[in-house]
Amino acid sequence: MELMDPLDMVSILTGAGLLLSALETWSSRAVFRHDGLLSWDISRLQNTWSAAGPTGALLDVVERDATFTVLILVRGLAALALIVVPIDHPLFLGASGALAVALVLLSLRSRYGLDGAHQMFLLLVVALWLGSLAGPESLGRRLCVWFIAGQAALSYLVAGLAKLGSERWRSGGALIGILGTEIYGHAGAHAFFAERPRLAQLACWGVFVFEIAFPVVFVLPAELAVGMLIAALAFHLVNAVLMGLNTFLFAFAATYPAILAVVL
């Protein structure tokens, strides 16, 4: 049986995560309306180039309420296409290109609410577009796989080093604090770790040591490499349940087929 192209597997997971993200944006679209907290009249003032001049005039057309609603729909349909259309199909190039543009325009629309998952998704979509453009069995296709795998390792490493440099993470206070917030918190988990600060510290150290060590996945024996990816997936599943970081689960899991293609 012929194995699926690793970029097809990356595409399915990327599309699923971005479809979920589009549905979340659609459900909260009222906040982006002209009378909402993130209205374009307010958001455009973030930068001089978006507030005035030719770029401001162009964005004023693209980012207004009606156009922005269409943009969300296009983003959802393009994400669905990534799930069902193979990377070598002619429609894939257009769908991934449209999705990349939609993600950039969303970034320009508002910086608030964007996170590492959004950045990872944008990199994945651009890599998938380039991989589709390169064609099957090409050096360009392989380079896209290697790029995705390397980007994942770099993301974990940088995240771990940033936590290592934070006294709150080293002391365990960061975990207790995050779980006590309104947006990312979980009452039960917060109470559990607040009563066990040493366990919270151990959990924090476990997280950033694992993240810093993640790049060794490329030199581990195949069985250990797969085990490391399973552990990383479990980490993101816990974050999705406790902190509501649903898109992080898909954004990073989408890189695992590329990592497996490199290490196996």
Side-chain angles (χ1 to χ4, degrees):
M1 185 177 72
E2 185 179 354
L3 294 177
M4 181 183 291
D5 188 308
L7 287 187
D8 275 324
M9 292 186 281
V10 170
S11 177
I12 290 170
L13 292 170
T14 300
L18 285 172
L19 181 58
L20 173 62
S21 179
L23 291 172
E24 290 176 346
T25 304
W26 179 262
S27 67
S28 60
R29 66 190 181 281
V31 77
F32 294 100
R33 294 189 324 194
H34 67 279
D35 55 350
L37 185 63
L38 298 179
S39 73
W40 176 238
D41 290 332
I42 301 299
S43 297
R44 66 181 305 183
L45 302 179
Q46 296 173 115
N47 304 287
T48 303
W49 51 265
S50 61
T55 54
L58 176 61
L59 288 173
D60 197 40
V61 174
V62 175
E63 303 285 12
R64 283 291 171 184
D65 290 3
T67 316
F68 187 68
T69 300
V70 173
L71 184 63
I72 299 173
L73 292 173
V74 169
R75 179 183 167 196
L77 290 173
L80 182 60
L82 258 63
I83 299 174
V84 300
V85 178
I87 191 170
D88 291 318
H89 193 283
L91 288 177
F92 189 94
L93 195 64
S96 56
L99 193 50
V101 172
L103 290 174
V104 170
L105 290 175
L106 178 62
S107 302
L108 296 176
R109 184 61 163 78
S110 174
R111 284 179 259 181
Y112 303 104
L114 302 181
D115 50 29
H118 176 85
Q119 297 162 10
M120 181 64 82
F121 277 136
L122 180 56
L123 290 172
L124 287 170
V125 170
V126 172
L128 288 167
W129 183 82
L130 291 172
S132 176
L133 191 65
E137 305 300 327
S138 65
L139 175 60
R141 178 72 59 89
R142 293 195 297 274
L143 287 174
C144 289
V145 172
W146 296 339
F147 169 80
I148 292 171
Q151 177 60 43
L154 180 62
S155 297
Y156 282 118
L157 175 62
V158 171
L161 290 174
K163 292 180 179 71
L164 176 62
S166 168
E167 190 279 330
R168 280 183 60 83
W169 272 97
R170 295 195 305 272
S171 68
L175 178 61
I176 298 171
I178 292 170
L179 291 173
T181 62
E182 182 71 24
I183 297 177
Y184 299 118
H186 186 282
H190 174 260
F192 178 83
F193 283 109
E195 295 171 0
R196 300 167 179 83
R198 294 304 297 272
L199 186 58
Q201 184 180 31
L202 181 62
C204 284
W205 275 81
V207 168
F208 63 70
V209 168
F210 179 81
E211 289 177 331
I212 292 171
F214 190 86
V216 304
V217 71
F218 296 116
V219 297
L220 290 175
E223 296 81 2
L224 292 179
V226 171
M228 196 165 194
L229 291 180
I230 292 173
L233 182 63
F235 167 71
H236 288 296
L237 278 169
V238 170
N239 284 342
V241 172
L242 295 183
M243 302 172 62
L245 297 176
N246 305 317
T247 53
F248 270 88
L249 172 62
F250 287 94
F252 282 87
T255 67
Y256 297 170
I259 295 173
L260 289 172
V262 172
V263 303
L264 296 183

